[in-house]
Structures are given as structure tokens and as C-alpha cells.
Amino acid sequence: MEHEKVINSAPVIQVKNMYKRFGSFIANNDLTFDVYKGEIFGFLGANGAGKTTAMRILCGLSSPSSGEIQVAGFDIYKQVGQIKKNIGYMSQKFSLYEDLTVYENMRLFGGIYGLTNKEIKERSANLLQMLGFENARNTLIKDIPLGWRQKLAFSVALIHKPKIVFLDEPTGGVDPMTRRQFWEMIHETAAGGTTIFVTTHYMDEAEYCDRVSIMVDGEIRVMGPPAELIQRFGVENMNEVFIKLARAKSTEL
């Protein structure tokens, strides 16, 4: 998707002057950004940079200390319930219940997302067919290879047709081929109008995004399309952009 096409659509995430404090420690320092309908937005940073804290706030799992935030058109302070109905979430660490079968997970999450029994049956059947998982319907999640498990978790996060899907380091631990296939699924989903908000520590994956932001010490240091950032820093790839930022730390860019 071309960046110009993205920014001409409506913003589905609006963040202005967001702070998150834990005592004297500032995890998110004056974050301001918009994310648009159908955009693949990469939220990057080293461990401890504050990206997971910010994502938890946008998902309604944590409250900001201050700032103006809207997600899917709803206010983060007053309409968390509405936000949760309009988003999907997937993480590397926990997405599906390993002691439940494939279909049992679909039924469980469909219910959590508020689908009717009829909708759960119809959408589960569609997902199983799309993934080629019809024969694995009654297989326990723990018996499925990690790569397929991640693809399934992503599909389950979409079962209620959310406006936004939050992916927290979704490809950690999977092989390069599976990572590439996973990103093909992400692009197909975004092409259908769903916004993808993804964190990753794989800098090559940053180049699959329409735009990225890079956080250092709780602040967004740079933001823009990967190609523009690569050109701006005079380097060959996003990994070199990240290294320059990490070394610069608090210097003015």
C-alpha cells in the first residue's frame, strides 16, 4: 500500500501528548501520533523502550497518566469496553490456550468478542478452510508447530472482524519462511481495510510496514515510511537506522 493512499484515509488511532509514569519513571514520554485505516504501522524499539507499555494502553489494558487518546473512534478513558469490541490482539507469549483444540479456541475467543453461536460456527468454518486446517479442527494447540500456531492465532484475532489488530512481536521464534508467510497474511488483511499495529525487534520486518516509529528511552525519536528514513539517515536498511538512533540516544536528530 502506498503511503499517500494510507494518509488520505481516516485515522483510527489518535494519540496526543500521552504520558505513562510509574512513580518517578516515565515509560512513555509525550507520545503523539496517528494511525490510519488500512495502514501497517510498525512500533519499534529495543526492550525497555516503552513500546509494550504504549500498546497496552491503546488496547485498554492499562491507563495513561495523561494525554488524549482515541482508538477506533472511542475515548480511552470513558469507552474502554467499546474499544475492546473493535480491536483484536495477538502476542508472541500468549495467544491461544494450548490445552484446547483449534475449534475450541475459536469458539472461546468468538464468545469473548461477543459473536453469536451462529457467527462463531460460520466464521470458524471459513477460517479453517482458509488455513487448510479442516483436518486439524480437533487437534490440541500444543500439538501444532509454532509457525502454524502463530498463523492460527492471527486468524483468531480477526474472527470478530475488528477495525484494528494489535500484534506484539508476533513472529518471535519462528523460521524465516514462516515469518515471510505471516507477513503475507498481514498485507492481505490490511488490503481489506483492517489496520495493523505491530511491534517487532526484527528490523527487516520494519521494511514491510507502511510507516514506522522508533522509540528510544520512552520517546518517539523518528517516524515515517521506511524508505524515507533509510534515505534520511544515509544508510542501506532499517537495521542501520536503528543502530544510529540507539547510539545517538539523547542527542538531537
Side-chain angles (χ1 to χ4, degrees):
M1 180 183 298
E2 296 179 356
H3 180 56
E4 290 77 8
K5 182 178 178 181
V6 168
I7 63 174
N8 286 333
S9 62
V12 293
I13 300 175
Q14 297 173 288
V15 178
K16 183 177 181 182
N17 307 126
M18 185 176 85
Y19 285 84
K20 180 62 176 181
R21 300 178 179 88
F22 297 96
S24 61
F25 176 70
I26 302 177
N28 294 149
N29 189 1
D30 198 18
L31 305 188
T32 296
F33 61 92
D34 291 339
V35 182
Y36 299 90
K37 177 178 169 62
E39 181 174 24
I40 302 173
F41 186 80
F43 204 59
L44 313 179
N47 290 337
K51 61 185 187 297
T52 297
T53 299
M55 177 179 278
R56 285 179 57 82
I57 291 172
L58 297 178
C59 291
L61 300 174
S62 179
S63 299
S65 299
S66 60
E68 300 175 24
I69 303 106
Q70 287 198 343
V71 178
F74 299 101
D75 184 87
I76 199 71
Y77 298 99
K78 302 175 182 178
Q79 299 172 299
V80 171
Q82 291 298 317
I83 289 173
K84 290 181 178 179
K85 290 179 181 179
N86 284 276
I87 65 172
Y89 176 79
M90 174 192 167
S91 73
Q92 173 197 353
K93 296 179 181 178
F94 175 80
S95 294
L96 301 174
Y97 288 92
E98 293 191 349
D99 291 330
L100 297 180
T101 66
V102 169
Y103 180 70
E104 286 170 342
N105 270 278
M106 290 181 174
R107 188 173 61 191
L108 172 64
F109 283 96
I112 291 173
Y113 288 132
L115 299 181
T116 65
N117 288 333
K118 181 181 179 182
E119 288 172 329
I120 291 171
K121 289 180 180 178
E122 290 176 351
R123 295 184 191 182
S124 295
N126 289 337
L127 287 181
L128 289 169
Q129 183 179 18
M130 179 185 71
L131 293 168
F133 256 52
E134 292 99 332
N135 294 333
R137 171 191 172 99
N138 297 317
T139 302
L140 294 176
I141 294 297
K142 65 182 179 181
D143 294 329
I144 296 174
L146 178 60
W148 279 103
R149 205 181 308 173
Q150 294 300 81
K151 293 177 186 177
L152 179 62
F154 179 58
S155 299
V156 170
L158 295 169
I159 196 168
H160 58 305
K161 300 181 180 179
K163 295 180 180 179
I164 308 161
V165 178
F166 290 91
L167 307 176
D168 193 4
E169 299 193 359
T171 59
V174 301
D175 62 84
M177 176 68 74
T178 301
R179 280 207 287 142
R180 186 159 54 249
Q181 293 172 346
F182 191 88
W183 274 92
E184 289 175 0
M185 293 177 67
I186 289 176
H187 277 273
E188 289 175 5
T189 302
T194 303
T195 299
I196 310 292
F197 188 103
V198 57
T199 71
T200 179
H201 61 269
Y202 293 115
M203 289 301 113
D204 61 317
E205 292 188 349
E207 298 182 30
Y208 300 151
C209 300
D210 295 303
R211 282 189 305 147
V212 299
S213 70
I214 299 180
M215 293 188 68
V216 179
D217 295 337
E219 300 178 352
I220 293 177
R221 288 295 172 82
V222 296
M223 186 184 306
E228 289 184 13
L229 296 181
I230 290 169
Q231 183 178 22
R232 172 181 168 184
F233 283 85
V235 294
E236 295 185 358
N237 54 53
M238 283 300 299
N239 188 56
E240 293 181 26
V241 171
F242 183 77
I243 290 172
K244 278 200 169 187
L245 286 169
R247 288 175 177 170
K249 284 283 185 177
S250 59
T251 58
E252 190 69 23
L253 298 171

